[in-house]
Every structure is written in structure tokens, then in C-alpha cells.
Amino acid sequence: MAAAGLWHVTLTVAGLEQPPAEVLGALERLSAERPFFLSGRYASGRAELRYWEEAEDCGDACAMALRVWFEHRESAALPPWQVVALEVVARDEHQRRDGATLSAAGGWHPFDE
């Protein structure tokens, strides 16, 4: 069995517009349930979550990422949005792209629209 690796995940969800304060509240509840989220952005009709996932391979990391929003939809009172984008990048590739091994924890910020 291969050793687990660290994968940088960017998950984007979107759907019908919601009041931005409600979206932020939902994301904060999600963060309380899953404190591994590093940062994200949000708007009235979409949200982007960025975090590190530990998994044996990219396929496993993708599968886990695709479940996050749906597994917490009721408990965190998340908007009924769908996944519209997913990027999973190996730690080395993320470091090569961004020049840093880890992203700074930052909280939730509005998209610049």
C-alpha cells in the first residue's frame, strides 16, 4: 500500500444566489465542522474552498473533495449548490506553482466582483 500524500484542493460550488451574509455564515459553520479548511472566497452565487487533503493518490483526494459539500449540506445549512470545479494538485506541484509549500490560513473573503 502506498504512503499517503498531501494534496492541495480547490473546490468550487455554485447555484442560485443567496444573501452573502448567509453564504458566509454557512461557510463558517462548515469550517467549524471541518477545521482543515485554510481559506476560501464567496459570493452570492458561488464559493471556493481551498485546503490540504491527505490521500494515497489523486483519485482518492478527488473523491473525498467531491463529497465534502454534500456530506455537510444539512449539518452546516449550506446552500443547495453543485460542484462546478475541482482542482487537486500534488504538494510538490503546488509548491512549484506557488513557491510555497503551505498556503497561509486566511478565512473567508468575498470574491472581487
Side-chain angles (χ1 to χ4, degrees), residues 30-31 33-39 50-53 68 72:
L30 179 59
S31 290
E33 291 182 10
R34 298 293 296 261
F36 60 86
F37 289 121
L38 290 175
S39 62
R50 292 184 300 269
Y51 63 96
W52 290 96
E53 183 69 73
V68 166
H72 294 274

Side-chain angles (χ1 to χ4, degrees), residues 14-100:
L16 295 176
E17 292 192 0
Q18 309 285 322
E22 289 184 21
V23 175
L24 176 58
L27 293 171
E28 288 172 341
R29 288 188 296 275
L30 179 59
S31 290
E33 291 182 10
R34 298 293 296 261
F36 60 86
F37 289 121
L38 290 175
S39 62
R41 299 184 293 170
Y42 68 94
S44 57
R46 64 188 169 131
E48 178 183 272
L49 296 72
R50 292 184 300 269
Y51 63 96
W52 290 96
E53 183 69 73
E54 189 173 4
E56 286 188 31
D57 59 35
C58 187
D60 287 346
C62 287
M64 289 185 279
L66 288 171
R67 289 193 310 261
V68 166
W69 192 260
F70 303 104
E71 288 179 350
H72 294 274
R73 182 172 279 161
E74 283 188 34
S75 60
L78 300 173
W81 294 344
Q82 299 296 315
V83 173
V84 297
L86 173 63
E87 180 182 48
V88 177
V89 180
R91 179 181 177 177
D92 291 344
E93 177 64 15
H94 182 12
Q95 182 177 10
R96 186 188 66 75
R97 287 182 183 181
D98 294 343

